[in-house]
Amino acid sequence: MTRIALRPAINEAAEVLDRAGVRSPRYDAEELAAHLLGVQRTRLALVPLVEPELLERYRDLVARRARRIPLQHLTGVAAMGEIDLAVGPGVFVPRPETELLFAWTLAFLETLPHDHRPIVVDLCTGSGALALAVAHARPDAEVHAVEVDPDALTWARRNADDRIADGDTPIVLHADDATDPELLTDLNGRVDVVVSNPPYIPEGTPLDPEVIDHDPRRALFGGADGLDVVRGMLPVVTRLLRPGGAVAVEHDDSNGSELAALLGKNGEYSDVVEHPDLAGKPRFVAATRTTPR
Ligand SMILES: C[S@@+](CC[C@H](N)C(=O)[O-])C[C@H]1O[C@@H](n2cnc3c(N)ncnc32)[C@H](O)[C@@H]1O
Protein backbone atom coordinates (compact mmCIF):
# COMPACT_ATOMS: atom_id res chain seq x y z
CA MET A 1 0.00 0.00 0.00
CA THR A 2 1.27 3.51 -0.82
CA ARG A 3 2.47 5.33 2.22
CA ILE A 4 1.62 9.01 2.71
CA ALA A 5 3.68 11.98 3.94
CA LEU A 6 2.97 12.78 7.59
CA ARG A 7 4.15 16.41 7.73
CA PRO A 8 1.37 17.89 5.49
CA ALA A 9 -1.20 16.07 7.65
CA ILE A 10 0.33 17.61 10.78
CA ASN A 11 0.28 21.07 9.17
CA GLU A 12 -3.38 20.61 8.25
CA ALA A 13 -4.18 19.39 11.79
CA ALA A 14 -2.46 22.45 13.30
CA GLU A 15 -4.69 24.69 11.16
CA VAL A 16 -7.83 22.77 12.18
CA LEU A 17 -6.92 23.09 15.87
CA ASP A 18 -6.02 26.76 15.49
CA ARG A 19 -9.44 27.47 13.95
CA ALA A 20 -11.08 25.56 16.83
CA GLY A 21 -9.42 27.91 19.34
CA VAL A 22 -6.93 25.40 20.78
CA ARG A 23 -4.18 27.39 22.54
CA SER A 24 -1.16 25.42 21.28
CA PRO A 25 -2.34 24.01 17.94
CA ARG A 26 0.99 22.92 16.46
CA TYR A 27 2.26 21.35 19.66
CA ASP A 28 -1.00 19.43 20.07
CA ALA A 29 -1.04 18.34 16.40
CA GLU A 30 2.48 16.96 16.83
CA GLU A 31 1.76 15.35 20.20
CA LEU A 32 -1.25 13.50 18.79
CA ALA A 33 0.79 12.22 15.84
CA ALA A 34 3.60 11.16 18.17
CA HIS A 35 1.09 9.40 20.44
CA LEU A 36 -0.36 7.37 17.55
CA LEU A 37 3.10 6.48 16.25
CA GLY A 38 4.47 5.64 19.71
CA VAL A 39 7.44 8.01 19.32
CA GLN A 40 8.53 11.18 21.10
CA ARG A 41 7.30 14.41 19.52
CA THR A 42 10.88 15.53 18.93
CA ARG A 43 11.50 12.39 16.85
CA LEU A 44 8.57 12.77 14.44
CA ALA A 45 10.94 13.72 11.62
CA LEU A 46 12.21 10.14 11.73
CA VAL A 47 8.77 8.96 10.54
CA PRO A 48 8.22 10.89 7.28
CA LEU A 49 5.74 8.39 5.74
CA VAL A 50 2.77 6.58 7.32
CA GLU A 51 0.05 4.13 6.34
CA PRO A 52 -3.25 5.67 5.12
CA GLU A 53 -5.06 3.84 7.95
CA LEU A 54 -2.93 5.67 10.54
CA LEU A 55 -3.72 8.98 8.92
CA GLU A 56 -7.41 8.21 9.20
CA ARG A 57 -7.05 7.54 12.93
CA TYR A 58 -4.99 10.72 13.24
CA ARG A 59 -7.73 12.84 11.66
CA ASP A 60 -10.30 11.29 14.03
CA LEU A 61 -8.14 12.18 17.01
CA VAL A 62 -7.59 15.73 15.73
CA ALA A 63 -11.35 16.14 15.23
CA ARG A 64 -11.88 15.17 18.88
CA ARG A 65 -9.21 17.63 20.01
CA ALA A 66 -10.94 20.30 17.88
CA ARG A 67 -14.05 19.62 20.00
CA ARG A 68 -11.83 20.77 22.88
CA ILE A 69 -11.37 17.40 24.55
CA PRO A 70 -8.13 17.86 26.55
CA LEU A 71 -4.98 16.64 24.82
CA GLN A 72 -4.11 14.50 27.86
CA HIS A 73 -7.50 12.74 27.76
CA LEU A 74 -6.71 11.74 24.17
CA THR A 75 -3.17 10.56 24.87
CA GLY A 76 -4.11 9.21 28.33
CA VAL A 77 -1.03 10.64 30.07
CA ALA A 78 0.28 13.75 31.82
CA ALA A 79 3.75 14.30 33.25
CA MET A 80 5.05 15.42 36.63
CA GLY A 81 8.77 15.48 37.31
CA GLU A 82 10.25 12.28 35.94
CA ILE A 83 7.03 10.28 35.86
CA ASP A 84 3.97 9.85 33.63
CA LEU A 85 0.51 9.64 35.17
CA ALA A 86 -2.56 8.03 33.68
CA VAL A 87 -5.36 10.61 33.42
CA GLY A 88 -8.84 10.84 31.93
CA PRO A 89 -12.42 11.75 32.79
CA GLY A 90 -12.94 12.11 36.53
CA VAL A 91 -9.53 13.46 37.48
CA PHE A 92 -7.76 16.81 37.20
CA VAL A 93 -5.03 16.86 34.53
CA PRO A 94 -1.72 17.85 36.21
CA ARG A 95 -0.43 21.12 34.76
CA PRO A 96 3.14 22.11 33.80
CA GLU A 97 3.06 25.06 36.23
CA THR A 98 2.81 22.65 39.17
CA GLU A 99 6.31 21.45 38.24
CA LEU A 100 7.51 24.58 40.10
CA LEU A 101 5.89 23.40 43.32
CA PHE A 102 7.41 19.97 42.76
CA ALA A 103 10.90 21.44 42.18
CA TRP A 104 10.55 23.58 45.31
CA THR A 105 9.61 20.47 47.33
CA LEU A 106 12.69 18.57 46.19
CA ALA A 107 14.91 21.59 46.90
CA PHE A 108 13.45 21.93 50.41
CA LEU A 109 13.94 18.21 51.10
CA GLU A 110 17.60 18.65 50.15
CA THR A 111 18.04 21.16 52.98
CA LEU A 112 16.91 18.72 55.69
CA PRO A 113 19.39 16.98 57.98
CA HIS A 114 19.87 13.29 57.25
CA ASP A 115 18.94 12.23 60.78
CA HIS A 116 15.44 10.92 59.94
CA ARG A 117 13.30 9.65 57.09
CA PRO A 118 11.58 12.76 55.67
CA ILE A 119 7.77 12.80 55.81
CA VAL A 120 5.89 14.50 52.98
CA VAL A 121 2.13 15.08 52.78
CA ASP A 122 0.38 16.00 49.52
CA LEU A 123 -3.09 17.42 50.24
CA CYS A 124 -5.62 17.28 47.35
CA THR A 125 -3.53 14.83 45.36
CA GLY A 126 -5.87 14.23 42.39
CA SER A 127 -4.09 11.73 40.12
CA GLY A 128 -1.34 11.43 42.76
CA ALA A 129 0.92 13.65 40.65
CA LEU A 130 2.94 15.49 43.31
CA ALA A 131 3.05 12.63 45.82
CA LEU A 132 4.16 10.04 43.28
CA ALA A 133 6.71 12.35 41.62
CA VAL A 134 8.23 13.06 45.06
CA ALA A 135 8.26 9.35 45.96
CA HIS A 136 10.02 8.63 42.66
CA ALA A 137 12.66 11.34 43.18
CA ARG A 138 13.12 10.64 46.90
CA PRO A 139 12.74 6.91 47.57
CA ASP A 140 13.87 7.56 51.16
CA ALA A 141 10.79 9.71 51.89
CA GLU A 142 7.57 8.57 53.57
CA VAL A 143 4.91 10.12 51.33
CA HIS A 144 1.22 10.49 52.21
CA ALA A 145 -1.42 11.70 49.75
CA VAL A 146 -4.96 12.84 50.61
CA GLU A 147 -7.89 13.04 48.20
CA VAL A 148 -11.61 13.32 48.86
CA ASP A 149 -13.10 12.56 45.45
CA PRO A 150 -13.73 8.83 44.80
CA ASP A 151 -13.20 9.10 41.02
CA ALA A 152 -9.90 10.95 41.45
CA LEU A 153 -8.86 8.35 44.03
CA THR A 154 -9.44 5.56 41.51
CA TRP A 155 -6.94 7.26 39.17
CA ALA A 156 -4.51 7.91 42.04
CA ARG A 157 -4.63 4.23 43.06
CA ARG A 158 -4.01 3.12 39.50
CA ASN A 159 -1.02 5.48 39.22
CA ALA A 160 0.30 4.41 42.62
CA ASP A 161 0.10 0.75 41.55
CA ASP A 162 1.91 1.55 38.28
CA ARG A 163 4.70 3.29 40.19
CA ILE A 164 5.10 0.32 42.56
CA ALA A 165 5.30 -1.96 39.51
CA ASP A 166 8.10 0.30 38.23
CA GLY A 167 9.98 -0.11 41.51
CA ASP A 168 9.14 3.14 43.33
CA THR A 169 8.64 3.31 47.09
CA PRO A 170 4.87 2.97 47.76
CA ILE A 171 3.02 6.06 48.95
CA VAL A 172 0.16 5.99 51.49
CA LEU A 173 -3.12 7.10 49.92
CA HIS A 174 -5.81 8.47 52.25
CA ALA A 175 -9.44 8.77 51.15
CA ASP A 176 -10.16 11.82 53.27
CA ASP A 177 -11.02 15.49 53.38
CA ALA A 178 -7.95 17.75 53.59
CA THR A 179 -9.91 20.07 55.91
CA ASP A 180 -10.85 17.28 58.37
CA PRO A 181 -9.64 18.33 61.87
CA GLU A 182 -8.89 14.64 62.59
CA LEU A 183 -6.85 14.10 59.41
CA LEU A 184 -3.59 12.12 59.90
CA THR A 185 -3.42 12.86 63.65
CA ASP A 186 -0.73 10.18 64.07
CA LEU A 187 1.58 12.50 62.08
CA ASN A 188 1.01 15.54 64.34
CA GLY A 189 4.16 17.66 64.55
CA ARG A 190 6.20 15.14 62.54
CA VAL A 191 5.73 16.20 58.91
CA ASP A 192 8.66 17.85 57.12
CA VAL A 193 6.79 19.18 54.09
CA VAL A 194 3.15 19.71 53.17
CA VAL A 195 2.53 20.46 49.49
CA SER A 196 -0.78 21.19 47.91
CA ASN A 197 -2.25 22.15 44.59
CA PRO A 198 -5.83 22.51 45.88
CA PRO A 199 -8.94 23.79 44.09
CA TYR A 200 -8.25 27.53 44.03
CA ILE A 201 -10.13 29.23 41.22
CA PRO A 202 -12.60 31.93 42.33
CA GLU A 203 -16.18 30.85 41.51
CA GLY A 204 -17.41 32.31 38.23
CA THR A 205 -13.97 32.72 36.59
CA PRO A 206 -14.32 32.12 32.82
CA LEU A 207 -12.35 29.01 31.77
CA ASP A 208 -11.41 27.24 28.53
CA PRO A 209 -13.74 24.41 27.43
CA GLU A 210 -11.00 21.84 28.12
CA VAL A 211 -11.08 22.91 31.77
CA ILE A 212 -14.70 23.71 32.56
CA ASP A 213 -16.13 20.76 30.56
CA HIS A 214 -13.56 18.13 31.52
CA ASP A 215 -11.75 18.82 34.81
CA PRO A 216 -14.00 17.91 37.78
CA ARG A 217 -15.67 21.01 39.28
CA ARG A 218 -14.47 20.00 42.73
CA ALA A 219 -10.87 20.17 41.44
CA LEU A 220 -11.29 23.73 40.19
CA PHE A 221 -13.29 26.08 42.35
CA GLY A 222 -12.54 27.24 45.86
CA GLY A 223 -15.47 29.54 46.65
CA ALA A 224 -15.84 33.28 46.02
CA ASP A 225 -12.13 34.16 46.42
CA GLY A 226 -10.78 30.68 45.61
CA LEU A 227 -9.39 30.14 49.11
CA ASP A 228 -12.21 28.20 50.83
CA VAL A 229 -10.43 24.82 50.76
CA VAL A 230 -7.06 26.41 51.63
CA ARG A 231 -8.56 28.20 54.65
CA GLY A 232 -9.99 24.86 55.84
CA MET A 233 -6.66 23.11 55.28
CA LEU A 234 -4.42 25.54 57.13
CA PRO A 235 -5.17 24.39 60.72
CA VAL A 236 -4.46 20.83 59.57
CA VAL A 237 -1.17 21.88 57.95
CA THR A 238 -0.11 23.80 61.07
CA ARG A 239 -0.90 20.81 63.31
CA LEU A 240 1.00 18.36 61.07
CA LEU A 241 4.23 20.28 60.46
CA ARG A 242 7.25 19.86 62.67
CA PRO A 243 8.91 23.15 63.75
CA GLY A 244 11.18 24.11 60.87
CA GLY A 245 9.03 22.10 58.44
CA ALA A 246 7.54 23.91 55.45
CA VAL A 247 4.35 24.22 53.45
CA ALA A 248 3.87 25.27 49.84
CA VAL A 249 0.47 25.87 48.27
CA GLU A 250 -0.29 26.71 44.64
CA HIS A 251 -2.87 29.45 44.04
CA ASP A 252 -4.72 31.49 41.45
CA ASP A 253 -3.12 34.60 39.89
CA SER A 254 -5.61 36.65 41.87
CA ASN A 255 -5.26 35.34 45.43
CA GLY A 256 -1.54 34.89 46.22
CA SER A 257 -1.24 37.89 48.52
CA GLU A 258 -4.33 36.81 50.53
CA LEU A 259 -2.83 33.35 50.88
CA ALA A 260 0.49 34.84 52.03
CA ALA A 261 -1.43 37.02 54.52
CA LEU A 262 -3.28 33.95 55.88
CA LEU A 263 0.04 32.20 56.48
CA GLY A 264 1.65 35.29 57.98
CA LYS A 265 -1.27 36.07 60.32
CA ASN A 266 -0.83 34.04 63.51
CA GLY A 267 2.93 34.03 63.87
CA GLU A 268 2.95 30.28 63.29
CA TYR A 269 4.95 30.70 60.09
CA SER A 270 8.08 32.61 59.10
CA ASP A 271 9.77 33.13 55.73
CA VAL A 272 6.44 33.48 53.90
CA VAL A 273 7.55 33.79 50.27
CA GLU A 274 5.44 34.30 47.14
CA HIS A 275 6.92 32.43 44.17
CA PRO A 276 6.22 33.53 40.57
CA ASP A 277 5.95 31.17 37.58
CA LEU A 278 8.06 31.45 34.43
CA ALA A 279 5.68 34.09 33.05
CA GLY A 280 6.21 36.17 36.21
CA LYS A 281 2.69 35.47 37.57
CA PRO A 282 2.38 34.64 41.28
CA ARG A 283 1.98 30.85 41.42
CA PHE A 284 2.62 29.41 44.88
CA VAL A 285 3.34 30.55 48.41
CA ALA A 286 5.81 28.76 50.70
CA ALA A 287 6.34 29.26 54.42
CA THR A 288 8.27 27.70 57.30
CA ARG A 289 6.59 26.49 60.50
CA THR A 290 8.08 28.52 63.33
CA THR A 291 10.01 26.90 66.13
CA PRO A 292 8.25 27.47 69.47
CA ARG A 293 10.28 29.74 71.80
C1 LIG B 1 -6.50 21.33 41.29
S1 LIG B 1 -6.73 19.61 41.59
C2 LIG B 1 -5.00 19.17 41.82
C3 LIG B 1 -4.68 17.73 41.78
C4 LIG B 1 -3.18 17.44 41.92
N1 LIG B 1 -2.65 17.98 43.16
C5 LIG B 1 -2.41 18.01 40.75
O1 LIG B 1 -1.64 18.94 40.92
O2 LIG B 1 -2.59 17.50 39.63
C6 LIG B 1 -7.39 19.62 43.24
C7 LIG B 1 -7.78 18.26 43.82
O3 LIG B 1 -8.25 18.46 45.15
C8 LIG B 1 -9.33 17.58 45.42
N2 LIG B 1 -10.09 18.15 46.53
C9 LIG B 1 -10.97 19.16 46.53
N3 LIG B 1 -11.40 19.45 47.77
C10 LIG B 1 -10.75 18.58 48.59
C11 LIG B 1 -10.76 18.37 50.00
N4 LIG B 1 -11.52 19.12 50.80
N5 LIG B 1 -9.98 17.39 50.50
C12 LIG B 1 -9.21 16.61 49.69
N6 LIG B 1 -9.16 16.76 48.34
C13 LIG B 1 -9.92 17.75 47.80
C14 LIG B 1 -10.07 17.54 44.10
O4 LIG B 1 -10.90 16.40 44.04
C15 LIG B 1 -8.90 17.52 43.11
O5 LIG B 1 -8.50 16.20 42.85
Side-chain angles (χ1 to χ4, degrees), residues 251-272:
H251 59 76
D252 188 66
D253 299 352
S254 65
N255 54 22
S257 46
E258 286 98 309
L259 173 56
L262 279 175
L263 282 162
K265 204 163 65 180
N266 298 328
E268 287 162 327
Y269 292 93
S270 61
D271 307 321
V272 180

Side-chain angles (χ1 to χ4, degrees), residues 155-177:
W155 286 98
R157 277 199 197 97
R158 171 177 165 182
N159 285 316
D161 289 346
D162 287 351
R163 295 314 317 154
I164 292 171
D166 269 12
D168 282 0
T169 308
I171 65 165
V172 189
L173 259 177
H174 303 266
D176 217 327
D177 187 324

